Amino acid sequence: MTQHRKWGLFFFLTPVLLWLTLLIVLPHIDLLRMSFILETDTGETEWRLSNYASFFKEPIYWLTFVRTAIYSIIVTLLTLVVALPVSFFITKVARPGTRGFLMLLILLPFWVSELVRVYGWMILLRESGVINHFLLKLGILDQPVEMLYNDAAMILGLVYTSMLFMVVPLVSVLESLDDSLIEAAYDLGADMGTIVFKIIVPHATPGIVSGAIVVFMLTLGNYLTPNLMGGKNSLWFTEQIYNQFIASFNWNQGAAFGFLLLLLSSGIVWLGLKLSGQTLGKVVR
Amino acid sequence: MNKSLLSIVMLFLVSIAAYPGYTGAETLSLLTWKGYAPKVLVDKFETETGIRVNVTYTNNEEMIAKLRATRGAGFDLAQPSQDRISSVQKKYRIYQAMDIRKIDTAQIIPSMLASVKKNTSVGGEFHAVPFCWGTSGLVVNRKIAPDALDYSDLLNDKYTGRISYRLKRPTLIGLAFAMGKDPFSLYNDTDAYKALMEEVGQAMIAAKPLVKNYWTNGDALLQSMRSGEVHLAMAWDNGGWKLHAENPDIDFVAPKSGALGWIDTFALPAKAKNIDAAYQWINFMLRPQNAATFTNLERAPTASAGANQHMDAVVRANFDRSFPQAVIDNIKWYPPVPSKLEGIEGMILDKVKASR
Amino acid sequence: MADDMQIDLGVEKVTKKFKDFTAVKAVSFEVEQGRFFSILGPSGCGKTTLLRMIAGLAEPDNGRITIRGLNMAGIPPNKRPANLVFQHLALFPMMNVADNIAFGLQRRGEKKATVFKKVSAILERVDLPGFEKKKIHELSGGQKQRVAIARCLVLEPAVLLLDEPLGALDLKLREQMKVELKKLQAKVGTTFVYITHDQSEALVMSDQVAVMNKGHFEQLDTPKNLYNRPATPFVARFVGDNNIWSGHIRDRDNNTCRFETPDGNVFHISGDQPWRNGAAVDLFLRPEAMIIQPDPAHTGLNRFEAHIRSLLFDGANSRIIATPKNSDRELLVALPQNRQHDDLCPGDIVEIGWDKSSGICFATETETSP
Ligand SMILES: Nc1ncnc2c1ncn2[C@@H]1O[C@H](COP(=O)(O)OP(=O)(O)O)[C@@H](O)[C@H]1O
Ligand SMILES: [Mg+2]
C-alpha cells in the first residue's frame, strides 16, 4: 500500500522535476554563470560583479528600469480599472447566453500574434490612419494629428494586450461573488462607490492580485508594444537587454540585466503582495 | 540473421532521428535578409537541384547572435555584411573558411571578390564571398524637401516631425561623416572613436524633438514615406528606388559626405551540415540571369559579373540617376568593425533613446 | 384602539411580471406598527419577489408601496426605511461581526463612538455580547442568523423584511430560533414582515399571516383563524394537515345537513355552510379533530368504525392510518400519547368520532376550477 503510494508519487513527480530542471533551472544556470563573467579586451574572462555594478553605476540603465517598472505599474492599474467593470458586466449584468459571446470577444484578439495586434493599433492611430481619416472627414480636425509614438499610445497598447490576463481571473473570482452581498450592501444604504470598494474589490482581491501579477510581469517583459507604439522615447528595459545581447554582443551584461529584471520585479511583486495583505499561496489558489 | 536485420533497422531509425529536419529530401538552411531569397529563385533552385531551401530572415546583429548561441550550428549558409565578419570570427569562431575551388569565381566581379576576401580573412583564410551591395543614404520626398542633401539634414529643424532613421550604427557613422569627421579612420583608436560617437550622440539627443520615430522595420518606413508622414529618412538606396517607381517625387539621394557602402556576403557557419548545397546556392545566385532577377526585384546590384545585360531598364536608370561616377567614387565603404565598438555605439544609442 | 394604530407598510394592488409570467398578482395588504406579519406560501409562489419590491430591489409593474405613508416609487433600496434579511443572510465574509453591523451606520455617516456604542448594544440585544471581533466563518448557523438580523435592526428601520431566515438551519435550532425571534420582535417592537414556506414558523410567530399561492393572497388572518376557518381549500390543505373526503350534501335544513360519501358513510355537518341539496363537496377533516374510541356518553359526534392499517409513531405527532369500513379511503388520525391507546395494533377495528363543527366543506375542486 505505502509502496504503491511511493511509486505513484514518484511517477507523478518525475516529469515535474524533469520539467523544472530541464526547462527552467538549467538554462538559467548558464545565464547566471555568464552574468558574473567579465570579458577583458584581450578576450580573457574573469569572475566579477562588474556587470551588476554597471547597472547601478550607469544612470541610463537603472533609470530605464525605474521607468519601465513605473509604467508597468501604471499599466497594471489601468488594466484593472478597465477590466473590473468589464468583468463585472460579464459576470453579473450580461445574460448567461451573451456571457460566452463577450468572453469570446475578449479572447478574439489573442488568436493573432501580438505583432498583428500592434500593427492593427498602428493602422488605427497613425497620422495617415483610420481614426484621423474619419475625424478629418467629419470635420472635427482640419489637420491630421499623430496619435502614435507617445506614452499614451504605448500605454493603450499595453493595456489592450494585458486585458485578457486581468479579465479571466476577475471573471472567475466575481463569479463566486454572491449577488445578494451586493444587494445587501445596497439595502443597508451603500451607494455604488461603497459597494465597489467595500464589497466587490475586497472579495475580488485574490483575483485582482493574481491578475495584477501576471499583467505586471507581462508588461515588464514586453518588447514589441513599447518599441513599436511608444516611439522615440519608449526605451523599455527588455529592449536594453536585447540591445546588450544583440547589438553590443555583450551577453554577460545582458544576462546580468536579465537576472536583475527577475530579482527587481520579484521584489516589486513581493511588495505588492505585502501591501495588499495577500500571500502567493492564496492568490494562486 | 534476425539480429543483424534488427540492427540494420535500428541503425536506420537512429540515422533518421539524428538528422534534424529530415523530410526525405535534401535541404539547405539559409540565414539571410528579407528579399535575398526571392520565391522565383528558390523554386528554380529546387527544380534544378532537388534541394529544398529553408529561409530564415534576420539582420546582421541577430545573425551573429543566433550563430553565436549555437556556435555556428543550425544553418548551412549565412549572409552577413562583410564588415561584420572578421572580428566576430576572431572572437567566436562561428564561420568556417571558404573553399575557393568550389566557387565559380568567373561569375564574380574580381575587385569585389578581392576586397571581400581581404576584409574577411582571419588566420590567413577568408570566410566570405560577395553577393550584393548597396548604400545607405537619404530617402527624400524631393517635392517637400528639395534641399535635403546630407546626413546633417536629419538634424535640421526645417523638417521637424517628418524625419525618421534607425537607432543603429550606420546613423552614427553617417552623421559623423556629415560633421566632417572620418569615423572609419578612428576604428583602431577606441578612445577617439568613443569621443566622436559621443559628440554625434549629443547632436542626436539635441535633435530628438525633430524625429518622428526611429524606424525598425524597412517595410514600415516605406509605408510612412508613401503616406507622407515622413519626408526625410536615412535608409537603403533600394528602398528609395522602390518608392520612386510609385511616386517620382520620392527618391534616393546619395548624401554629399558620401553614401555608406555595404557588401553583403555568403559565409559558411562553422557547423553547417550541407556545405555542398551551400556552394550550389552561392553559384546559383551569382549566375548572371539569376543575379539580375534578384536585382530587378530588389533593386540591389550584385557582385555577379555579367548581370548588367539582364537588368531591367528602370533598374539601370535608378543607378544612373543616383550614382554618377563622382558619387560612386565618394562612397564610404565600411571597413571591418573591430570588436568593442559595438558596445560603445550601443551605449550611446541607448542614451539617445532614453533621453527626453 | 386599533383604528389609531399607525400603518407602517401599505401594499396596494402590487403586480410583478417576468416576461409573460406574473409572479405577483395585485397583492394588497397593510401592516400596523409593531406587528409580526408573515407571508406563508409554497416555494415559487412569489414571496421573495414581493419582499424585494418592498425593499426596493425590484420595481413593481403596477400598484403602490408605502412605508409610513410615504410612496416608495422611484426610491432606491439605500434610501428606504426598510431593511431585508436575505434568505442566505448575505453577511459580508470580508468583514468581522462589528464591521458587518456597523456597515449601515457608517453609510449614514454616524460618528465612530456612536457606531461603536450601537453595535455593542445591538449585539447585547441579540444575545451575542462581545462578538465584535469574530470572523463570520467562525459563527454557528444560529449566530449568523442573529448577526444578520442585528445588522438590519441597528438601523432602526420602519419595517424589517425577513426572507425565510430560518430555512438553512437544522430542525432543532429552527424550533429554538422561532421562539427567540418572536421574543426579539416583541422586545424591539419593530414591524416585521416575515416570509416562509413553513406553516409552523408562520403560525407560532405571527400576529397575522397571509397565505400566498401562485402570486396572490388566498387568505389574510390570524394564525388561529387560518387553522380553524380556512377560507379556501388551498389554505385548508396548506395550513396544518387535513383528510379530504369527497361526497354530496343531502337533507339540508337550518341547523345541520348530511354529508354522504360514495362508499356509503353518512355524517352530520354544521348547517351554517351554504350548500344546496345535492352539491358535490370535499370534506376537510383534521387528524387531530378525530377521536379514537370516543366516550359513548358523548352524543352529537359523528361516529364510524375503521380498520387500523398502520401506526406511525412520531412522539407527540403520532398518527394512525385507518380506512373506514366498506371503504378504502385512507385517513390520518391523531394518536394522543397519553398511553390510553398503547394496545392498538394494525388490523384492529376501532371506533372513530368527530364533532360536526370540525368538518369543513368546500365545493369539489374540479367543479370550481375554471
Ligand atoms: N428575475 C426573475 N426572472 C424570471 N423569473 C423569476 C425571477 N425571479 C423570480 N422568478 C419567478 O417568479 C416566481 C416566484 O419566485 P420567488 O418570488 O422567488 O418565489 P418564492 O420566494 O415564493 O419561492 C418563480 O416562479 C420564479 O421562477
Ligand atoms: Mg424565496
Side-chain angles (χ1 to χ4, degrees):
Chain A
M1 173 69 183
T2 45
Q3 196 64 24
H4 264 149
R5 281 264 278 288
K6 246 184 209 161
W7 271 107
L9 199 68
F10 184 72
F11 183 78
F12 284 110
L13 227 52
T14 311
V16 174
L17 285 176
L18 270 179
W19 177 66
L20 279 175
T21 43
L22 285 181
L23 291 173
I24 304 208
V25 178
L26 282 183
H28 283 89
I29 285 179
D30 195 41
L31 276 181
L32 190 63
R33 185 189 61 81
M34 218 183 265
S35 71
F36 289 108
I37 286 177
L38 178 73
E39 219 166 295
T40 59
D41 293 347
T42 52
E44 284 161 42
T45 56
E46 284 172 23
W47 290 87
R48 282 285 176 79
L49 279 173
S50 56
N51 293 323
Y52 289 91
S54 69
F55 173 83
F56 297 99
K57 264 193 296 205
E58 282 290 348
I60 177 175
Y61 295 147
W62 62 261
L63 277 177
T64 304
F65 180 82
V66 167
R67 187 191 121 86
T68 308
I70 288 174
Y71 271 86
S72 297
I73 291 169
I74 292 173
V75 166
T76 307
L77 292 178
L78 281 177
T79 309
L80 175 64
V81 168
V82 178
L84 194 62
V86 169
S87 315
F88 188 81
F89 185 85
I90 291 175
T91 45
K92 300 292 174 198
V93 183
R95 279 181 294 118
T98 28
R99 210 169 285 174
F101 174 71
L102 288 174
M103 275 312 274
L104 197 73
L105 272 189
I106 294 204
L107 214 68
L108 215 58
F110 291 82
W111 285 351
V112 298
S113 75
E114 191 187 359
L115 191 67
V116 176
R117 250 176 291 145
V118 169
Y119 274 122
W121 275 111
M122 292 176 76
I123 289 170
L124 283 181
L125 295 177
R126 64 189 303 162
E127 198 182 339
S128 59
V130 177
I131 292 178
N132 265 308
H133 177 82
F134 277 108
L135 290 179
L136 288 172
K137 263 266 167 72
L138 294 173
I140 296 170
L141 289 181
D142 43 39
Q143 275 287 322
V145 290
E146 180 62 89
M147 297 180 228
L148 264 182
Y149 312 130
N150 52 49
D151 289 351
M154 178 183 79
I155 287 173
L156 170 80
L158 287 169
V159 168
Y160 179 74
T161 295
S162 308
M163 271 291 279
L164 182 72
F165 303 96
M166 191 63 101
V167 167
V168 167
L170 282 184
V171 161
S172 88
V173 84
L174 286 180
E175 251 163 13
S176 70
L177 173 65
D178 188 351
D179 291 4
S180 65
L181 291 189
I182 296 169
E183 288 181 342
Y186 197 20
D187 183 67
L188 291 169
D191 51 28
M192 268 308 140
T194 319
I195 291 174
V196 169
F197 288 107
K198 293 254 167 186
I199 309 294
I200 297 175
V201 168
H203 175 90
T205 303
I208 290 174
V209 173
S210 71
I213 290 177
V214 174
V215 168
F216 176 74
M217 290 302 226
L218 283 179
T219 306
L220 205 63
N222 200 320
Y223 174 79
L224 268 176
T225 306
N227 198 6
L228 289 178
M229 290 182 74
K232 55 186 179 182
N233 294 321
S234 68
L235 187 57
W236 212 243
F237 196 64
T238 45
E239 195 179 336
Q240 225 156 39
I241 297 178
Y242 173 92
N243 285 346
Q244 287 301 330
F245 272 99
I246 304 296
S248 302
F249 303 134
N250 195 344
W251 288 20
N252 307 318
Q253 186 68 70
F257 282 0
F259 277 98
L260 282 166
L261 179 64
L262 192 71
L263 278 174
L264 293 172
S265 57
S266 304
I268 293 171
V269 166
W270 177 83
L271 204 71
L273 285 172
K274 272 271 123 73
L275 288 179
S276 65
Q278 297 287 309
T279 64
L280 201 59
K282 235 199 283 181
V283 168
V284 172
R285 185 152 38 88
Chain B
M1 249 278 279
N2 254 342
K3 230 179 189 173
S4 65
L5 189 71
L6 194 73
S7 54
I8 287 172
V9 170
M10 287 299 284
L11 204 71
F12 183 70
L13 287 176
V14 167
S15 64
I16 288 177
Y19 191 64
Y22 179 84
T23 51
E26 202 180 339
T27 59
L28 169 73
S29 291
L30 184 59
L31 184 61
T32 188
W33 301 75
K34 204 148 196 154
Y36 278 24
K39 188 161 182 328
V40 272
L41 293 178
V42 168
D43 289 345
K44 189 173 170 194
F45 182 71
E46 275 183 28
T47 45
E48 237 176 63
T49 61
I51 299 170
R52 281 197 39 225
V53 185
N54 271 338
V55 189
T56 306
Y57 298 115
T58 183
N59 56 40
N60 268 325
E61 290 83 7
E62 287 185 359
M63 211 178 292
I64 295 163
K66 275 198 169 98
L67 292 175
R68 184 180 163 193
T70 60
R71 298 188 174 84
F75 296 95
D76 300 316
L77 188 59
Q79 299 208 255
S81 297
Q82 57 130 6
D83 56 313
R84 307 298 286 271
I85 295 178
S86 60
S87 71
V88 170
Q89 174 62 10
K90 269 182 220 146
K91 225 167 158 179
Y92 308 121
R93 307 257 153 226
I94 56 177
Y95 299 113
Q96 53 181 291
M98 280 267 166
D99 184 351
I100 198 73
R101 288 164 304 173
K102 297 230 172 101
I103 289 170
D104 187 354
T105 46
Q107 292 188 127
I108 308 179
I109 298 170
S111 61
M112 277 182 84
L113 179 61
S115 133
V116 167
K117 271 166 87 172
K118 189 182 122 234
N119 284 337
T120 64
S121 73
V122 175
E125 302 197 271
F126 73 97
H127 292 84
V129 291
F131 168 55
C132 66
W133 64 276
T135 64
S136 298
L138 300 174
V139 176
V140 183
N141 191 324
R142 316 273 336 229
K143 201 163 137 199
I144 301 166
D147 308 327
L149 297 175
D150 204 351
Y151 299 111
S152 50
D153 285 308
L154 294 171
L155 313 180
N156 186 339
D157 62 10
K158 242 164 83 180
Y159 311 114
T160 299
R162 299 296 170 202
I163 297 167
S164 185
Y165 43 86
R166 289 197 299 169
L167 282 185
K168 284 269 162 76
R169 60 188 313 269
T171 312
L172 293 172
I173 288 168
L175 287 169
F177 274 115
M179 290 173 168
K181 307 280 167 50
D182 180 2
F184 295 158
S185 70
L186 300 178
Y187 262 19
N188 292 312
D189 182 352
T190 309
D191 291 338
Y193 187 78
K194 189 172 175 189
L196 173 59
M197 287 301 130
E198 243 147 33
E199 195 188 334
V200 173
Q202 283 311 314
M204 286 172 77
I205 289 172
K208 191 167 180 179
L210 317 183
V211 179
K212 176 155 194 105
N213 62 359
Y214 300 123
W215 64 269
T216 51
N217 173 306
D219 290 340
L221 172 74
L222 296 192
Q223 181 52 38
S224 301
M225 299 246 14
R226 207 175 271 135
S227 65
E229 289 175 24
V230 170
H231 301 155
L232 171 60
M234 178 165 173
W236 295 299
D237 47 21
N238 60 342
W241 294 331
K242 274 186 200 166
L243 289 174
H244 186 77
E246 298 167 22
N247 176 359
D249 290 338
I250 305 175
D251 203 355
F252 175 78
V253 172
K256 236 174 42 203
S257 45
L260 299 174
W262 46 263
I263 300 176
D264 285 345
T265 66
F266 292 110
L268 294 169
K271 294 180 185 163
K273 287 240 162 54
N274 201 351
I275 294 175
D276 275 345
Y279 282 115
Q280 282 184 61
W281 176 260
I282 294 171
N283 291 326
F284 172 84
M285 286 302 284
L286 289 170
R287 200 184 299 160
Q289 282 97 339
N290 297 343
T293 305
F294 165 79
T295 303
N296 290 339
L297 281 169
E298 288 300 314
R299 308 285 197 274
T302 64
S304 170
N308 266 355
Q309 61 204 36
H310 302 285
M311 267 193 295
D312 290 348
V314 232
V315 176
R316 252 195 310 241
N318 284 334
F319 210 75
D320 296 341
R321 191 176 66 250
S322 298
F323 287 116
Q325 192 55 45
V327 171
I328 291 191
D329 293 342
N330 193 27
I331 290 178
K332 306 286 189 281
W333 295 96
Y334 287 107
V337 192
S339 61
K340 284 210 66 179
L341 295 195
E342 280 111 341
I344 293 168
E345 293 156 356
M347 182 79 179
I348 286 163
L349 292 172
D350 274 354
K351 275 185 183 156
V352 173
K353 176 110 188 231
S355 75
R356 295 248 141 190
Chain C
M1 255 281 271
D3 281 5
D4 50 50
M5 276 297 259
Q6 193 191 330
I7 302 295
D8 264 354
L9 173 66
V11 172
E12 287 168 50
K13 297 212 179 80
V14 163
T15 297
K16 179 73 183 177
K17 290 193 178 115
F18 293 115
K19 297 228 181 77
D20 45 5
F21 170 75
T22 311
V24 175
K25 291 173 197 159
V27 166
S28 300
F29 63 95
E30 287 184 339
V31 184
E32 289 170 357
Q33 187 164 47
R35 288 298 165 90
F36 198 122
F37 183 92
S38 290
I39 300 169
L40 170 65
S43 96
C45 72
K47 305 181 297 290
T48 299
T49 307
L50 179 55
L51 214 58
R52 288 170 61 83
M53 287 191 283
I54 300 171
L57 295 168
E59 274 297 309
D61 294 323
N62 248 320
R64 219 162 77 103
I65 294 170
T66 53
I67 297 178
R68 293 218 168 129
L70 289 175
N71 190 348
M72 287 292 121
I75 298 184
N78 53 356
K79 300 271 177 342
R80 290 194 186 194
N83 289 112
L84 175 58
V85 177
F86 284 75
Q87 193 153 2
H88 301 289
L89 307 180
L91 292 174
F92 305 133
M94 51 290 226
M95 305 177 196
N96 62 18
V97 169
D99 290 340
N100 262 278
I101 297 174
F103 187 87
L105 296 172
Q106 285 161 349
R107 301 290 78 73
R108 289 182 183 169
E110 295 200 17
K111 286 212 190 67
K112 238 181 173 169
T114 335
V115 170
F116 184 81
K117 244 185 269 161
K118 283 187 178 177
V119 168
S120 56
I122 201 77
L123 278 172
E124 200 96 38
R125 265 271 151 96
V126 296
D127 289 331
L128 293 173
F131 269 62
E132 280 90 344
K133 292 281 166 275
K134 282 249 195 293
K135 294 261 156 56
I136 296 305
H137 65 85
E138 294 167 349
L139 303 179
S140 72
Q143 290 168 338
K144 281 184 190 158
Q145 206 70 63
R146 282 179 277 175
V147 172
I149 292 166
R151 184 172 75 172
C152 293
L153 278 183
V154 78
L155 299 175
E156 293 164 2
V159 182
L160 181 68
L161 309 165
L162 301 100
D163 187 352
E164 312 206 18
L166 306 187
L169 304 182
D170 58 51
L171 187 65
K172 200 87 194 164
L173 196 54
R174 197 151 66 208
E175 293 299 320
Q176 191 187 327
M177 282 300 296
K178 255 192 258 184
V179 181
E180 278 187 30
L181 205 53
K182 175 70 191 166
K183 281 199 283 192
L184 179 70
Q185 193 265 341
K187 205 157 53 168
V188 296
T190 307
T191 309
F192 274 36
V193 174
Y194 184 100
I195 66 177
T196 179
H197 67 270
D198 181 311
Q199 44 127 344
S200 130
E201 282 174 24
L203 298 185
V204 168
M205 294 189 282
S206 317
D207 300 317
Q208 275 197 305
V209 179
V211 177
M212 193 172 183
N213 179 31
K214 293 182 180 155
H216 68 272
F217 280 3
E218 295 263 339
Q219 186 174 0
L220 197 168
D221 222 324
T222 61
K224 204 162 167 186
N225 280 345
L226 282 182
Y227 185 79
N228 290 328
R229 283 201 286 276
T232 66
F234 178 83
V235 177
R237 222 188 303 249
F238 196 72
V239 179
D241 290 326
N242 252 317
N243 292 295
I244 303 165
W245 216 337
S246 303
H248 290 86
I249 298 292
R250 304 277 182 234
D251 300 339
R252 83 157 287 144
D253 63 33
N254 281 339
N255 291 324
T256 56
C257 52
R258 280 193 311 130
F259 171 80
E260 202 178 290
T261 65
D263 43 35
N265 282 296
V266 178
F267 303 117
H268 293 275
I269 59 168
S270 158
D272 53 5
Q273 301 179 45
W275 304 113
R276 54 181 173 74
N277 249 336
V281 295
D282 288 338
L283 171 67
F284 284 72
L285 202 52
R286 297 202 183 273
E288 53 275 25
M290 289 188 267
I291 309 161
I292 300 169
Q293 310 282 34
D295 185 352
H298 197 325
T299 56
L301 289 186
N302 286 305
R303 285 165 192 263
F304 62 96
E305 293 202 319
H307 266 290
I308 298 180
R309 293 289 170 200
S310 52
L311 299 168
L312 308 174
F313 181 78
D314 185 13
N317 198 23
S318 298
R319 316 272 178 93
I320 60 175
I321 296 177
T323 52
K325 262 186 170 171
N326 317 322
S327 165
D328 50 10
R329 147 90 44 217
E330 288 194 340
L331 297 174
L332 273 175
V333 181
L335 182 61
Q337 289 301 301
N338 47 17
R339 319 229 58 160
Q340 193 187 335
H341 302 300
D342 281 0
D343 52 346
L344 291 182
C345 351
D348 290 356
I349 294 181
V350 290
E351 194 184 28
I352 290 173
W354 56 275
D355 189 276
K356 65 179 183 182
S357 64
S358 48
I360 297 171
C361 290
F362 293 101
T364 298
E365 279 191 314
T366 46
E367 279 179 26
T368 54
S369 55

